[in-house]
Structure formats: C-alpha cells, structure tokens
C-alpha cells in the first residue's frame, strides 16, 4: 500500500510541476516562480501583468500568442498606445535572448545580456541599424529571487525601475 501511495504522490507532484511550467510567459517577462501578478513602474504609468496558475499571461493588450511545443512564447501581438505590433521572441537556455518587432515602420530588436547568475545586466537596442545599450545595476530582489528595483541610464538620465509581485501559494 505504501508503494502505491508513493507512486501516486510522485505522479501528482510531476503533473503539478508540469502544470506550473506549461507556459513560460513569466520567464518572458524576466521573472520566475508562481507569479500571479506583476506590477511594473518604468518611467510612466504603472503596468500590471496577470498570470494564470499555469504561467500564461492574461493581458487585454496581448493577443494571438503562439507557443512552441515546450510552452515558450514564439510571438504575440501587442497593442501599445493604440498601435498594434507583432513581437517575436528567441530563447536561449530558458531565457529570452531577444525580441524583434517593427516600431513606426522601422525594425527593432532588443537583445538581452545576462551575467552568470542569470541577471539581465544590459539590453542592446537596435532600431533601424542604430544600436544603443541600456545597462542595469543596483538590483534589489524579493524573497523569491525576482528583482524589485534596479537602476538604468537612459539618454543621460539615471532611472530607478521598480516591480512588485503577488504569488500563487
């Protein structure tokens, strides 16, 4: 009886883990864990992103999300200030390597750079062949390991970006 109980427990644990990681939208948003809600403040009005328990984004401005067989987001249509654009994602080692889109008719690619701990140290932004690097520093993390504060420099201005999280427990 103990063996059957243990086998059932292992099966339930495996299915539970798979359910939590079926979609990798949380990772696409540079976060980890059982995130229910993430609120972001980056130079403007706050933005809130909600996630289902299986990790899928629940955003009214994001549609036509396409996933690969492993649940990694390949592309999505996003509406920003009345303009709709398609964002394409490339992944490497379980992290978003780059995002490509067209902004105002110009191709734009954001390439993320990570350190050995997996922290995003800089973004390289290429718009129509012009490249700019945005470094990140002075990270503060919550108890789950997600950054909640970081500094960056944009056009000569130092900016503090913040995020807060609500988790499924």
């Amino acid at each position: 009886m103990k063996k059957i109980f243990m086998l059932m427990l292992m099966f339930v644990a495996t299915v539970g883990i798979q359910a939590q990681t079926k979609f990798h939208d949380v990772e696409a948003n540079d976060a980890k864990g059982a995130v229910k809600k993430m609120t972001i403040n980056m130079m403007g009005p706050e933005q809130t992103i909600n996630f289902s328990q299986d990790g899928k984004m629940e955003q009214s401005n994001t549609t036509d999300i396409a996933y690969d067989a492993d649940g990694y987001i390949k592309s999505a249509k996003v509406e920003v200030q009345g303009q709709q654009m398609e964002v394409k994602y490339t992944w490497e080692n379980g992290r978003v390597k780059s995002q490509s889109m067209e902004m105002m008719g110009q191709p734009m690619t954001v390439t993320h750079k990570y350190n050995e701990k997996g922290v995003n140290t800089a973004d390289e932004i290429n718009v129509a062949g012009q490249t700019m690097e945005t470094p990140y520093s002075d990270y503060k993390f919550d108890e789950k390991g997600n950054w909640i504060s970081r500094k960056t420099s944009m056009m000569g201005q130092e900016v503090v970006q913040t995020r807060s999280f609500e988790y499924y427990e």
Side-chain angles (χ1 to χ4, degrees):
M1 189 64 139
K2 279 186 177 180
K3 284 184 180 180
I4 293 171
F5 178 74
M6 290 304 289
L7 285 171
M8 287 175 60
L9 187 61
M10 286 173 46
F11 175 75
V12 169
T14 303
V15 170
I17 290 168
Q18 287 174 345
Q20 289 179 352
T21 60
K22 182 175 180 182
F23 298 101
H24 298 276
D25 297 4
V26 172
E27 289 95 339
N29 285 280
D30 192 25
K32 55 189 165 203
V35 177
K36 183 176 188 177
K37 180 167 74 171
M38 177 171 65
T39 303
I40 307 161
N41 189 338
M42 295 186 188
M43 293 180 56
E46 281 188 347
Q47 177 189 7
T48 299
I49 302 172
N50 296 302
F51 298 93
S52 64
Q53 283 191 296
D54 61 357
K56 198 171 190 179
M57 273 189 297
E58 297 175 336
Q59 284 293 100
S60 61
N61 70 335
T62 306
T63 60
D64 299 333
I65 301 174
Y67 297 93
D68 68 12
D70 296 319
Y72 289 98
I73 190 169
K74 294 188 313 182
S75 65
K77 290 185 179 170
V78 179
E79 186 175 318
V80 178
Q81 297 180 345
Q83 300 292 318
Q84 190 171 49
M85 69 180 97
E86 183 176 18
V87 181
K88 295 181 181 178
Y89 297 81
T90 58
W91 291 78
E92 186 176 273
N93 300 322
R95 293 186 199 101
V96 174
K97 180 180 179 181
S98 66
Q99 296 165 263
S100 301
M101 65 211 80
E102 268 196 29
M103 298 237 357
M104 297 183 278
Q106 298 295 318
M108 176 177 165
T109 302
V110 179
T111 304
H112 306 287
K113 297 180 179 183
Y114 300 93
N115 67 14
E116 65 282 349
K117 294 180 181 178
V119 176
N120 183 204
T121 57
D123 286 340
E124 186 178 278
I125 304 165
N126 184 311
V127 179
Q130 299 292 323
T131 302
M132 173 181 74
E133 186 166 288
T134 303
Y136 300 112
S137 64
D138 297 334
Y139 277 89
K140 290 183 177 68
F141 296 89
D142 69 6
E143 66 281 349
K144 305 278 187 180
N146 285 309
W147 70 263
I148 55 172
S149 175
R150 69 181 180 186
K151 289 183 182 174
T152 189
S153 179
M154 293 182 171
M155 296 179 278
Q157 296 278 87
E158 187 174 275
V159 177
V160 176
Q161 300 173 331
T162 60
R163 302 190 304 181
S164 62
F165 291 88
E166 186 177 317
Y167 295 94
Y168 289 103
E169 295 298 327

